[in-house]
Amino acid sequence: MNEQLNSNLNTTTMYNNEIGHYLSLARENFYSISRFPAVLREHLEATPELMKDVVFFSCMAPLSMYNMRIRIPYLFDREMMGCQVQIFVIANQASGKNNIDFIQSDIMSLMKDFNNSELAREREYERRKARSKSKNIGDPPATTVFMLPASTSKVQVCRRALSVEERYGEPGGVFFYTFSPELGTAVESSKTGFNDLRVLNRVSYDLSGTYGQDHGSELSIHGTVNINQSLLYLGTPGVMANYFNLNSIENGNLSRAIIVPFKQAIGSAAPIFKPMPESDKAFSHKVLQRLFDEVFDSSNSKCLMPEKVVDISFLNAEVERFHEEMSNLAVEVQSEAVDTYRKRSSVSAYRIAAICYNIYNTENQLLDKDEELPMCQIENNVKKIFRFAAYYILHSTLGIFGNTIETLNMQQKNLFKIVRKTGLYESLPEVFSREDIEVYSGKLFLKSPARSIIPKWLKNNRIVALGDGRYQKIYACQNSN
């Protein structure tokens, strides 16, 4: 077993070094971009070199909220995609993570103002209800509260989703957003199934993702809701390992996540961010306001702005190239981890590319004709962004969790080999029922139903019928004489 484990570790190191080579080239091209999309550009220019990767990906979660109405055709999907992303920044304590808090707060300012006004409507209703002697003060308002703390319960998330659907008549029309500077809060909450949001994180990655409840409690919801969500979590390596435990890796939480590690050399000075010029701040705000106005209809509080299809099919060749390179690598090193994680790495990178493309075009609308970025340059920039993001996501995920993933895959293969060596007949108790056959068939990954197995065993004198749907193995009868 130890030899197999060491072999897995060596294989993981080898293929991640190969992915790292692709990433190095992609990163060089990425940072050769002379003009990044607005908002992102202003923050990257203020960021020290050491933290640029971290800031780039951290910006994507709040920016996805301003792009929640865009819909993206994707090469390998029949359905349209949204641009929700799940970012997990891993860093030690006192490493400058507070700068990420400042940046996301700055980007989310318009969204936060809207969210807070909705919370104020709820509080006003509760005050009127408490002051009123009459019970007939009307139903509570359908509000759009979409900024949720990490400790929110699953029931409350579902209630928020139902409220949004009731207000706009569109399931999942508004994305939820959760930022937490301490992922430990989510880990503590997850210790009770009531507050474990990992299942919601999985389903909320796709536009069609739904979550349902039908418990007897009045505090529950009854039915299913459509939930879409973007996340930005910051946490230490230990906390991150607790969050992405074996169950959440096997269930698919990790494949949907964008892992962003940040580590400084021992003794390094704290990263220093440059102040952003006021003119840059003002322009960034104008772009965000234009994007915000493409989400919420300022003339009708009960309507969202129409969905906006963003065609970035010019990326298809890049997507195919990435998949070909990584599928070839997966075959070469016989790695299921590379083969599995390349797929959603591409999806998440494609969403990031769509966000950047939409911001480029929105920015052009606010510029004079001679200042606009040519479409050919936008497309070239977006190709570089996709390729960098795809390789970064795959490399960082496998660099941190690759050994765990490979070990998990190996254990599953060994388990499968063990159960296949043991036949169904040998696995059953001496006296068994039809139900036992169904249960043990499932454990052994067999599909043969009891109605076809039992007649065959009776005919071959392997079992004897005892009545009442029970059977006994023949050799068991012989041994008992």
Side-chain angles (χ1 to χ4, degrees):
M1 182 71 174
N2 288 335
E3 290 180 4
Q4 285 179 307
L5 183 58
N6 289 334
S7 175
N8 277 344
L9 297 180
N10 292 335
T11 301
T12 305
T13 301
M14 181 183 73
Y15 69 58
N16 218 35
N17 285 343
E18 182 71 15
I19 297 170
H21 173 69
Y22 283 104
L23 173 59
S24 179
L25 296 175
R27 178 185 275 113
E28 185 177 346
N29 285 330
F30 173 73
Y31 284 112
S32 72
I33 295 174
S34 59
R35 188 162 137 190
F36 283 98
V39 185
L40 178 65
R41 177 174 65 246
E42 288 80 13
H43 285 291
L44 282 177
E45 288 176 353
T47 300
E49 200 68 32
L50 185 66
M51 288 194 70
K52 285 189 184 294
D53 288 0
V54 180
V55 167
F56 170 74
F57 286 103
S58 297
C59 284
M60 288 302 119
L63 286 175
S64 72
M65 297 300 293
Y66 288 86
N67 289 271
M68 69 173 82
R69 300 301 289 166
I70 70 174
R71 299 293 177 259
I72 322 156
Y74 182 60
L75 181 62
F76 300 118
D77 282 351
R78 291 183 178 182
E79 298 180 344
M80 291 281 189
M81 287 199 310
C83 59
Q84 59 269 53
V85 292
Q86 302 181 3
I87 313 294
F88 292 80
V89 178
I90 307 178
N92 292 323
Q93 297 180 19
S95 58
K97 295 195 298 293
N98 59 307
N99 290 293
I100 304 303
D101 188 351
F102 173 83
I103 290 169
Q104 73 84 30
S105 180
D106 181 67
I107 295 174
M108 284 294 289
S109 59
L110 288 172
M111 289 288 177
K112 186 177 181 181
D113 289 345
F114 181 90
N115 188 80
N116 287 348
S117 68
E118 296 296 291
L119 286 170
R121 291 175 61 214
E122 290 184 349
R123 287 193 292 268
E124 175 58 27
Y125 174 82
E126 292 300 325
R127 281 195 293 267
R128 286 194 294 109
K129 184 178 178 181
R131 290 195 303 262
S132 176
K133 296 179 181 179
S134 170
K135 294 182 180 180
N136 300 320
I137 64 166
D139 294 330
T143 54
T144 308
V145 177
F146 54 86
M147 295 180 68
L148 307 177
S151 57
T152 308
S153 71
K154 287 185 284 192
V155 172
Q156 184 65 2
V157 175
C158 291
R159 285 177 173 171
R160 293 297 188 196
L162 283 172
S163 182
V164 170
E165 182 177 341
E166 180 183 341
R167 180 174 185 177
Y168 300 116
E170 181 183 339
V174 173
F175 291 1
F176 290 114
Y177 176 77
T178 295
F179 166 74
S180 178
E182 295 297 338
L183 180 59
T185 303
V187 173
E188 285 299 315
S189 297
S190 69
K191 291 179 180 178
T192 64
F194 188 68
N195 284 355
D196 189 350
L197 298 182
R198 278 175 287 201
V199 63
L200 293 185
N201 294 348
R202 287 197 298 275
V203 303
S204 67
Y205 183 79
D206 297 309
L207 276 178
S208 57
T210 58
Y211 179 76
Q213 289 187 332
D214 193 16
H215 306 309
S217 169
E218 292 183 2
L219 297 176
S220 175
I221 68 157
H222 305 284
T224 60
V225 290
N226 186 260
I227 297 173
N228 302 304
Q229 186 173 31
S230 285
L231 308 172
L232 176 55
Y233 281 132
L234 315 182
T236 61
V239 170
M240 202 69 70
N242 286 334
Y243 187 82
F244 291 109
N245 56 28
L246 291 180
N247 282 338
S248 62
I249 291 175
E250 192 170 8
N251 289 337
N253 284 87
L254 181 61
S255 66
R256 293 163 169 82
I258 298 174
I259 306 298
V260 185
F262 170 63
K263 187 175 182 180
Q264 290 179 276
I266 296 174
S268 298
I272 299 175
F273 284 69
K274 293 186 291 187
M276 189 185 297
E278 289 301 320
S279 58
D280 289 354
K281 285 184 182 180
F283 185 74
S284 177
H285 181 82
K286 284 176 66 175
V287 173
L288 288 173
Q289 184 65 60
R290 177 65 66 92
L291 292 167
F292 181 87
D293 291 340
E294 291 184 351
V295 176
F296 298 106
D297 189 341
S298 58
S299 64
N300 189 341
S301 63
K302 294 184 178 181
C303 286
L304 293 170
M305 295 300 288
E307 292 181 352
K308 177 181 177 182
V309 177
V310 174
D311 182 5
I312 51 173
S313 56
F314 61 85
L315 279 180
N316 285 353
E318 290 295 329
V319 174
E320 290 177 324
R321 177 184 169 196
F322 171 77
H323 278 280
E324 182 180 2
E325 290 167 347
M326 290 301 94
S327 62
N328 288 341
L329 178 62
V331 171
E332 179 185 338
V333 299
Q334 287 296 289
S335 170
E336 290 185 12
V338 174
D339 196 43
T340 299
Y341 281 79
R342 69 181 167 90
K343 297 168 186 174
R344 286 214 175 97
S345 295
S346 174
V347 169
S348 294
Y350 200 79
R351 294 178 181 185
I352 286 172
I355 291 169
C356 293
Y357 180 76
N358 193 47
I359 296 175
Y360 269 130
N361 284 290
T362 302
E363 178 181 5
N364 269 357
Q365 297 170 15
L366 298 170
L367 295 172
D368 294 333
K369 205 70 177 173
D370 59 337
E371 295 179 313
E372 291 180 10
L373 202 62
M375 186 54 63
C376 60
Q377 189 174 343
I378 290 175
E379 291 185 0
N380 191 43
N381 289 354
V382 171
K383 288 177 183 178
K384 293 178 180 179
I385 289 169
F386 166 79
R387 193 161 175 82
F388 167 66
Y391 276 111
Y392 184 100
I393 295 166
L394 183 60
H395 183 262
S396 64
T397 301
L398 296 181
I400 295 171
F401 294 100
N403 295 337
T404 304
I405 297 165
E406 296 291 2
T407 301
L408 185 62
N409 289 340
M410 181 187 69
Q411 290 171 346
Q412 290 173 338
K413 286 180 181 178
N414 289 340
L415 176 63
F416 186 75
K417 290 177 183 177
I418 291 170
V419 297
R420 293 294 293 193
K421 285 179 182 177
T422 306
L424 176 60
Y425 184 83
E426 291 78 14
S427 301
L428 287 166
E430 292 181 0
V431 177
F432 61 89
S433 66
R434 287 175 176 270
E435 289 74 19
D436 289 328
I437 291 179
E438 300 297 340
V439 170
Y440 280 84
S441 292
K443 290 181 178 179
L444 296 174
F445 308 99
L446 300 174
K447 296 181 180 180
S448 300
R451 66 176 178 270
S452 63
I453 292 174
I454 290 174
K456 188 184 300 182
W457 285 351
L458 286 169
K459 181 179 179 180
N460 295 331
N461 296 318
R462 302 193 72 188
I463 61 174
V464 59
L466 300 178
D468 298 326
R470 297 186 308 125
Y471 302 87
Q472 187 168 7
K473 297 177 183 178
I474 293 293
Y475 73 76
C477 295
Q478 294 171 345
N479 291 342
S480 62
N481 289 336

